[in-house]
Amino acid sequence: MDIAVYSTKSYDRQFMDTAVGKGHKLHYLEARLTSDTAVLARGSDAVCVFVNDQVNEAVLKEFKVLGVRLVALRAAGYNNVDLDAAKRQEITIARVPAYSPEAVAEHASALILSLNRNIHRAYARVREGNFALEGLLGFNLQGCTVGIVGTGRIGASLARIMKGYGCRVLAYDINPDSACVSFGVTYLALGELLAASDIVSLHCPLTPQTRHLIDAAAIEKMKHGAMLINTSRGAIIDTLAVVNGIKTGVIGHLGLDVYEEEAALFFEDKSDEVIGDDVFERLLTFPNVLVTGHQGFFTSDALAAIAETTIANMTSFEKSGRALHEVT
Ligand code: NAD
């Protein structure tokens, strides 16, 4: 098949070229997919997209006219896809349900450890020749209570990691997992989890039910000084409410790998530009906030697995009319 690959970076080419072999013809596009750039898929049977590409009704209508039959996500989350519109346009949506949950879970744990021991501040200080310890005081993870919201592949992996540190692990999920219970995870209602946890880490998908799951009311229920980690999708937290939570001290540490308005910022070098997003810039002023630019998935293991499954989705679709991992 001819495949237009949107939002391509050098690392995407590297791993996709290795996985594709001689099977399909990949047309790499740097452009992000929007209704303005959908036309670039002209001549393609399928398109391949990433997390901030907009697979909305207008785009899908354009794809239908162009003859595109498959949209293959290089990602697990599909909150950027209008599934009803895809059904109406008879375009198949495929994704990579599980590539390396450990990549994201390990990144969440890296944020926890960095914030807890102020590694982000210590790094800058030592490079300036400042070896003072004031302001770097941490706390032991052993004995802490960690609340995990969403114990799917990534949440369960983080639960195992935090168990390894000797933490008590609580969880909230609309579908509790007996395997997690068997290694010592205790399921509670969300409000109870928030009230009991020293660290809250979010691992549910972004859906209408989880949009702003962590809002002002949820923050009120949290333990004073708790750590909040979000490596899932930005809009699961109400960022302004979280900024207020940091100002009042309810949120003692914040670690983000995702941000509500990240589409305008992440994956690009903006170091020469004035960032116009005041909420994002406010977050960066706090010493107890650590933000990474959606890099939880970014390990060589994960990229190789994403590329292989994406190509397998395409090959299966070409041969049978069905992708291996369709989103329905
Ligand atoms: P998964 O489908 O295996 O697990 C999601 C879990 O969330 C499931 O157990 C589900 O029951 C639960 N859930 C669904 N709705 C819920 C709700 N309303 N309240 C509580 N729990 C709910 O997904 P996963 O592979 O573990 O990935 C989780 C999320 O991580 C993805 O949806 C994606 O948004 C994000 N992600 C981020 C990165 C990154 O680079 N930062 C990479 C991959 C995935």
Side-chain angles (χ1 to χ4, degrees):
M1 289 197 293
D2 277 86
I3 299 150
V5 186
Y6 281 88
S7 297
T8 310
K9 302 287 182 198
S10 60
Y11 44 83
D12 294 309
R13 286 172 198 241
Q14 182 192 334
F15 287 93
M16 292 289 281
D17 280 346
T18 305
V20 75
K22 292 189 171 62
H24 304 281
K25 212 165 172 196
L26 301 178
H27 304 279
Y28 292 116
L29 303 167
E30 285 179 18
R32 192 157 69 87
L33 175 61
T34 64
S35 35
D36 291 334
T37 61
V39 68
L40 297 175
R42 187 184 299 282
S44 300
D45 309 295
V47 305
C48 182
V49 301
F50 197 45
V51 292
N52 290 327
D53 288 313
Q54 297 169 5
V55 191
N56 56 29
E57 173 124 47
V59 163
L60 288 158
K61 275 186 175 164
E62 175 88 40
F63 282 171
K64 176 77 175 176
V65 172
L66 296 174
V68 170
R69 292 173 295 129
L70 169 71
V71 174
L73 288 138
R74 308 194 291 283
Y78 49 87
N79 52 285
N80 53 332
V81 181
D82 184 337
L83 291 179
D84 292 334
K87 231 173 250 157
R88 283 194 291 279
Q89 301 304 325
E90 297 173 314
I91 293 176
T92 300
I93 308 292
R95 66 173 182 138
V96 184
Y99 43 90
S100 177
E102 293 75 22
V104 186
E106 288 171 15
H107 191 74
S109 76
L111 290 175
I112 292 170
L113 285 162
S114 302
L115 281 165
N116 171 37
R117 304 307 298 265
N118 287 295
I119 303 296
H120 56 304
R121 300 185 68 199
Y123 173 80
R125 270 192 200 185
V126 169
R127 288 172 74 95
E128 291 286 319
N130 177 356
F131 305 104
L133 296 183
E134 280 86 357
L136 302 185
L137 191 65
F139 58 88
N140 285 12
L141 287 178
Q142 196 204 16
C144 271
T145 300
V146 179
I148 297 183
V149 179
T151 50
R153 298 171 187 89
I154 296 170
S157 174
L158 182 67
R160 281 189 290 271
I161 293 171
M162 300 319 289
K163 273 274 168 198
Y165 279 112
C167 297
R168 174 180 168 232
V169 179
L170 306 177
Y172 165 69
D173 195 304
I174 50 171
N175 293 311
D177 179 1
S178 55
C180 287
V181 175
S182 69
F183 68 82
V185 173
T186 305
Y187 283 91
L188 293 177
L190 180 61
E192 292 172 314
L193 176 148
L194 294 174
S197 300
D198 302 298
I199 299 168
V200 175
S201 195
L202 306 174
H203 300 285
C204 53
L206 175 61
T207 64
Q209 292 73 41
T210 63
R211 180 172 293 274
H212 288 189
L213 188 72
I214 303 299
D215 58 6
I219 292 166
E220 244 177 57
K221 293 182 187 146
M222 288 173 72
K223 247 186 173 178
H224 192 87
M227 182 188 293
L228 178 64
I229 302 291
N230 187 10
T231 60
S232 201
R233 284 292 181 267
I236 294 171
I237 66 175
D238 174 346
T239 314
L240 267 178
V242 165
V243 166
N244 284 331
I246 296 166
K247 283 157 80 175
T248 59
V250 176
I251 296 174
H253 297 93
L254 175 69
L256 299 181
D257 187 47
V258 287
Y259 170 59
E260 262 184 299
E261 305 299 332
E262 70 175 50
L265 298 171
F266 286 6
F267 306 122
E268 304 300 331
D269 180 358
K270 305 248 174 210
S271 54
D272 282 338
E273 293 177 30
V274 172
I275 307 276
D277 184 331
D278 290 349
V279 177
F280 186 76
E281 289 301 294
R282 181 69 179 106
L283 279 177
L284 299 187
T285 66
F286 298 113
N288 51 353
V289 171
L290 177 52
V291 182
T292 53
H294 206 141
Q295 66 174 83
F297 71 100
F298 201 57
T299 67
S300 52
D301 312 75
L303 288 194
I306 289 170
E308 273 163 31
T309 305
T310 301
I311 298 299
N313 269 332
M314 291 165 177
T315 303
S316 163
F317 184 80
E318 185 178 35
K319 284 189 180 150
S320 68
R322 298 297 306 265
L324 279 186
H325 305 285
E326 292 190 4
V327 183
T328 51

